[in-house]
Amino acid sequence: WFSPKEAVEAHQNKEIFLAPPTYLTLRALTAFSSYAEVYTAAFQQERKAILPIHRKERGFEILLPGHADHPESSPDLGCRSLLLQDSVWLLQ
């Protein structure tokens, strides 16, 4: 088992690969120190489906809400796109 922080670091160190939804979720969870904080925050956030857009001009890139080429502006995920480079997701 990994803590969220350990899993994110393991992905960044190429020890494991995380799919984009898992990677973004675990990154978000690193901001919390307890289940109670996560539970409280979960009910304060906007709930909206996230519909990524894939493009391949620069490699495998996933555009998220808020990116200039994405039609949606929310929810704010803390980044606008993910670019897969050398088996690691780079946030942009």
Side-chain angles (χ1 to χ4, degrees):
W1 292 94
F2 290 101
S3 70
K5 181 181 179 197
E6 291 169 334
V8 168
E9 289 173 352
H11 172 76
Q12 292 169 339
N13 292 329
K14 301 179 190 172
E15 297 166 12
I16 63 172
F17 180 78
L18 297 173
T22 304
Y23 181 62
L24 290 175
T25 300
L26 290 172
R27 279 183 42 93
L29 288 173
T30 64
F32 302 99
S33 60
S34 70
Y35 169 77
E37 287 181 13
V38 173
Y39 185 82
T40 300
F43 288 99
Q44 295 172 347
Q45 292 181 344
E46 173 187 8
R47 293 194 177 131
K48 187 174 182 180
I50 299 166
L51 303 173
I53 297 173
H54 301 98
R55 70 177 180 190
K56 296 182 181 179
E57 287 86 20
R58 300 183 331 152
F60 188 71
E61 185 175 23
I62 299 173
L63 307 183
L64 300 169
H67 189 280
D69 294 333
H70 195 286
E72 301 287 330
S73 60
S74 68
D76 182 4
L77 301 172
C79 66
R80 303 293 181 240
S81 69
L82 295 112
L83 179 64
L84 186 60
Q85 214 169 58
D86 198 24
S87 300
V88 174
W89 292 109
L90 302 178
L91 303 179
Q92 314 215 335

